[in-house]
Amino acid sequence: MGIGRLYTYTPLPHPTQPRDVEPSTSPAQEWQRYLDARQKVDDELAQLAKIDNSLVADIFRVHQEILHDRLLTDAVRAAIDRGISAATATQQASSDLVQMFQNLSDDYFASRAVDIRDVGQRLLAHLNGVSLARQLAALPPNTVLLAEDLTPFDATHLSSDSVAGIVLAGSAPTAHTAILARSLGIPLICGVGSAILHLPPGQLAIVDGLQGRLIVEPDEELLESYVQTRQRLLAFRITAESHSHEAATTLDGRRVLVHVNINSQEDMLQIASSGADGIGLLRTEYLFQERTTPPAVEEQIEAYRLISQQMPGEILTVRLLDIGGDKPVRYLPQMTESNPFLGVRGIRLLLQHPELLRDQLQALVSLSLESSFTGVVRILVPMVSKIVEVYRVLEVLDSIPGYREEHRREGRLQVGLMIEVPAAALLADRVAPLVDFFSIGTNDLAQYTLAADRVNSAVASLASPLDPSVLRLIAMTCQAGNVAEIPISICGEMAGDPSIFPLLFGLGVTEVSVVAPAVPLVKEAVRQTDGDAARRLAANALRTSRAQEVHRLLHPE
Ligand code: PEP
Ligand code: MG
């Protein structure tokens, strides 16, 4: 939550006609200018990649690769050799590449276009001697920055000392810029439309990142209430962090495991200090993407073993490969699907490529049997929509060398389902007796229940996981899980908001899995939750008709 004065950011336009080679400069000299600029950008990126945040550091490493990529370098060289200045050559080569990538049907490559534009922008800043950084670095304290969009390049020049909040007309919460803003601790709201760019600069504004609201010229009373809420949140964080390594138990004595979501080996660096009770969701896509062949069984065992050696607690929940939707891989050429989120994704894809399913199950069974592994491997099946998919996975598991039914009975290896398609929630009572746990993926459950694409900012506001339709499906899942006496976790983003925990607990959720920075906050929310009050809250929420009403129940003041 940030409070400050509005400032509209317009990136300095790239010179449309940068000077061409002056008679006194030769292609050799222009090439040298390009190499000098490239070196400076390389140094800049190397410095930025030292940041203590793996996700952010990866962005800059990718940018370094692009900087040295032959596609870019050769195109610049060829243009300079034709007698064009280094700046024009860079501008042309980078915009041609951006266009080429944008036109690719492969989502992964198309999304790289923004990174190429960013690298081009950095090079041009050096070649033209103008610095976008100057505009951003010179912002006065307590600025609320309004912009169409920001590139990661822009975002690296921001400082939380001057920027109180960012509001973007476009972009999405999972874009690189949002990741950077989060790592800087700057509240950001995105996808709000270009009307914000016409707001008069200098007005007082509140950026409410919790509710995704920009409030311009608040009255005294509202401003005061926001100042107080901000102080309360800060105090809450300080208390929470001082207890983060203690178990979280509700006021009525129920222990709630607060697990952590992990997306890569590097994420493990953050979790030791988070106080997480275990790993509630290891998204294994990182092991399979950005390579030309799938990892062999041995390589997978090694990767899971490494995670298990560094993890807190006993539980290692590994989700089977969830490829498809917005996460393609190169060596599995999916048909071009007009609705990839409704296509061959998750378990559907694994069942079409049984060798991938078998190898991953083999690796997980092997890890669970290693004498040095003393925890529990929970295998999580993504995108289940049919009961036969569960039967098929259990059949394949049965055929894995070394696997015996006792492993499941002894609790060393468990099999659970992602409940993220409404069909799975509606059939939860039928599938619960077949499995050992449920994990509710509310990111997808909200998308599929409300028919609102999770990566389309135009419908993002429709896909609230607090919508009573989604809550009813969560309640249904919990009821079935409770009857079968299996743990029911929530691993979607909503679980990371501590104010939502009492509602989830009241609905019957028994565990949660959240991003590392949210672990202390959610643990603290568990400690402040009373079971009876939570169940009353849940019953009231289930009687509402709109997400806004649920929101008001959670934030009554
Ligand atoms: C979810 O759908 O809520 C989930 C946790 O999985 P992912 O975000 O990886 O699809
Ligand atoms: Mg999902």
Side-chain angles (χ1 to χ4, degrees):
M1 209 173 266
I3 300 170
R5 303 234 162 237
L6 297 180
Y7 176 95
T8 313
Y9 171 66
T10 336
L12 294 179
H14 292 157
T16 42
Q17 290 187 317
R19 65 182 182 82
D20 270 325
V21 177
E22 289 162 10
S24 56
T25 60
S26 65
Q29 284 166 311
E30 288 299 310
W31 178 240
Q32 192 52 50
R33 289 190 64 221
Y34 176 77
L35 293 180
D36 292 346
R38 188 172 76 172
Q39 187 56 51
K40 285 187 191 132
V41 174
D42 202 19
D43 295 345
E44 218 168 81
L45 291 169
Q47 195 57 33
L48 289 165
K50 288 186 187 150
I51 187 168
D52 186 19
N53 177 322
S54 61
L55 223 50
V56 178
D58 280 350
I59 298 171
F60 298 119
R61 280 192 212 105
V62 169
H63 286 193
Q64 276 182 300
E65 282 172 27
I66 293 170
L67 180 69
H68 292 283
D69 196 286
R70 299 222 22 200
L71 273 179
L72 178 65
T73 315
D74 289 354
V76 172
R77 178 81 218 216
I80 289 178
D81 285 346
R82 287 198 303 274
I84 293 174
S85 72
T88 312
T90 303
Q91 192 183 15
Q92 282 175 357
S94 53
S95 38
D96 286 352
L97 271 180
V98 166
Q99 204 141 46
M100 184 177 114
F101 273 69
Q102 272 170 342
N103 291 340
L104 291 175
S105 57
D106 181 314
D107 286 350
Y108 172 76
F109 285 115
S111 68
R112 293 274 79 89
V114 66
D115 297 304
I116 299 168
R117 186 184 300 123
D118 200 88
V119 171
Q121 216 177 3
R122 276 181 196 278
L123 282 164
L124 280 167
H126 286 288
L127 287 167
N128 289 320
V130 289
S131 169
L132 290 169
R134 219 178 292 153
Q135 197 188 153
L136 290 170
L139 293 171
N142 302 320
T143 293
V144 170
L145 194 65
L146 306 174
E148 178 61 43
D149 198 353
L150 293 175
T151 66
F153 173 52
D154 297 329
T156 53
H157 291 105
L158 299 174
S159 148
S160 56
D161 292 341
S162 53
V163 182
I166 303 171
V167 186
L168 301 179
S171 197
T174 47
H176 286 159
T177 302
I179 295 172
L180 282 163
R182 204 172 291 138
S183 77
L184 290 167
I186 302 177
L188 178 146
I189 316 175
C190 55
V192 296
S194 46
I196 53 154
L197 302 175
H198 306 297
L199 288 169
Q203 287 190 316
L204 188 67
I206 299 169
V207 179
D208 179 349
L210 289 175
Q211 300 188 58
R213 288 172 72 197
L214 170 69
I215 302 159
V216 181
E217 295 280 277
D219 61 28
E220 275 293 311
E221 203 182 330
L222 191 61
L223 185 62
E224 184 51 33
S225 84
Y226 266 96
V227 170
Q228 281 179 12
T229 309
R230 207 163 119 208
Q231 276 163 355
R232 208 180 59 233
L233 289 173
L234 208 63
F236 183 73
R237 176 170 283 281
I238 292 168
T239 317
E241 285 177 350
S242 66
H243 298 292
S244 63
H245 289 273
E246 295 164 24
T249 307
T250 61
L251 292 170
D252 52 324
R254 283 273 298 276
R255 169 89 196 266
V256 176
L257 295 174
V258 179
H259 291 142
V260 66
N261 292 350
I262 298 291
N263 302 318
S264 67
Q265 171 63 45
E266 287 78 35
D267 279 1
M268 295 300 291
L269 295 173
Q270 279 192 46
I271 74 163
S273 59
S274 74
D277 294 314
I279 295 179
L281 172 65
L282 174 66
R283 291 182 168 100
T284 54
E285 290 77 58
Y286 77 97
L287 283 174
F288 292 79
Q289 286 178 312
E290 315 222 5
R291 49 189 295 156
T292 48
T293 52
V297 175
E298 270 311 316
E299 188 179 342
Q300 287 193 54
I301 299 176
E302 183 59 37
Y304 304 139
R305 190 188 295 127
L306 203 61
I307 301 263
S308 75
Q309 285 162 351
Q310 297 165 5
M311 75 175 189
E314 295 210 305
I315 294 176
L316 170 59
T317 313
V318 181
R319 186 173 69 184
L320 300 179
L321 184 60
D322 183 20
I323 285 299
D326 61 342
K327 295 179 275 193
V329 291
R330 262 174 273 172
Y331 49 87
L332 289 179
Q334 284 127 329
M335 311 157 288
T336 310
E337 298 179 299
S338 44
N339 291 304
F341 275 114
L342 301 179
V344 185
R345 179 185 168 193
I347 190 59
R348 300 173 181 179
L349 184 126
L350 289 176
L351 291 173
Q352 286 189 6
H353 295 271
E355 67 292 348
L356 281 179
L357 176 61
R358 235 185 352 258
D359 283 359
Q360 201 170 17
L361 288 176
Q362 176 70 69
L364 293 169
V365 167
S366 303
L367 175 73
S368 75
L369 297 178
E370 285 186 358
S371 54
S372 56
F373 180 77
T374 52
V376 179
V377 174
R378 281 185 175 177
I379 298 173
L380 184 53
V381 189
M383 266 298 282
V384 171
S385 60
K386 298 267 175 194
I387 198 163
V388 292
E389 292 160 345
V390 185
Y391 292 136
R392 296 274 300 281
V393 171
L394 294 175
E395 266 165 37
V396 178
L397 186 60
D398 262 338
S399 72
I400 297 293
Y403 172 78
R404 292 190 317 280
E405 188 58 34
E406 301 92 270
H407 297 145
R408 267 183 81 190
R409 278 204 297 277
E410 289 161 7
R412 267 197 281 173
L413 188 86
Q414 301 183 346
V415 181
L417 304 184
M418 285 291 285
I419 304 292
E420 51 187 351
V421 178
L426 292 163
L427 286 181
D429 62 330
R430 316 304 300 168
V431 287
L434 302 175
V435 294
D436 308 308
F437 69 100
F438 281 155
S439 187
I440 307 177
T442 45
N443 304 339
D444 278 312
L445 190 60
Q447 139 166 285
Y448 292 127
T449 304
L450 293 149
D453 184 344
R454 67 191 266 189
V455 295
N456 178 351
S457 68
V459 291
S461 62
L462 299 180
S464 167
L466 289 181
D467 195 279
S469 58
V470 180
L471 299 185
R472 287 181 187 207
L473 291 172
I474 296 176
M476 210 172 219
T477 306
C478 291
Q479 204 178 1
N482 286 329
V483 168
E485 297 183 357
I486 56 174
I488 306 139
S489 174
I490 291 220
C491 61
E493 292 298 306
M494 80 185 303
D497 178 343
S499 70
I500 301 181
F501 177 76
L503 170 61
L504 300 178
F505 187 69
L507 288 168
V509 165
T510 62
E511 301 176 358
V512 291
S513 190
V514 302
V515 290
V519 169
L521 305 182
V522 175
K523 280 191 155 183
E524 200 55 23
V526 171
R527 296 185 190 108
Q528 295 178 5
T529 297
D530 167 66
D532 284 339
R535 280 182 285 278
R536 278 195 302 276
L537 172 69
N540 287 335
L542 289 171
R543 276 195 287 271
T544 62
S545 324
R546 298 186 308 148
Q548 289 88 333
E549 291 171 65
V550 179
H551 198 275
R552 273 201 295 278
L553 288 175
L554 297 178
H555 303 276
E557 69 272 27

